[in-house]
Amino acid sequence: MKNTIKFILLPALLFTMFAVQAPRLSAAESNQSVTEVKHKHRPGYKWVAGHYDRNKFGKLVWIPGHWKKICL
């Protein structure tokens, strides 16, 4: 009975150890340059940075940055 358990659990344990690893970046991906996003001013609009807001159910949701029209 003990040999059967070892025979089944050992390969399963080894498989999960090697199969569930965090993905690694390759050398080509890690050397990519990061470009900064710059927003040009638009007349009559204001840039609103990303922020959290509550939806109609009261849950926090992420609102990405966007242009908002200025009401004059």
Side-chain angles (χ1 to χ4, degrees):
M1 183 71 175
K2 288 185 180 181
N3 289 338
T4 309
I5 293 174
K6 289 179 185 177
F7 183 71
I8 294 172
L9 289 180
L10 184 61
L13 180 63
L14 290 174
F15 175 75
T16 55
M17 284 174 42
F18 293 111
V20 188
Q21 289 183 350
R24 295 180 182 150
L25 292 176
S26 67
E29 292 175 338
S30 62
N31 292 336
Q32 290 179 348
S33 62
V34 178
T35 57
E36 184 178 334
V37 177
K38 296 191 178 195
H39 305 286
K40 295 181 180 178
H41 176 69
R42 293 177 59 188
Y45 289 86
K46 177 183 176 187
W47 177 256
V48 179
H51 60 281
Y52 284 99
D53 201 2
R54 295 200 180 271
N55 65 4
K56 63 181 179 179
F57 302 109
K59 186 176 179 180
L60 279 176
V61 292
W62 175 252
I63 309 294
H66 59 276
W67 289 103
K68 185 172 185 176
K69 189 169 186 172
I70 300 171
C71 297
L72 295 175

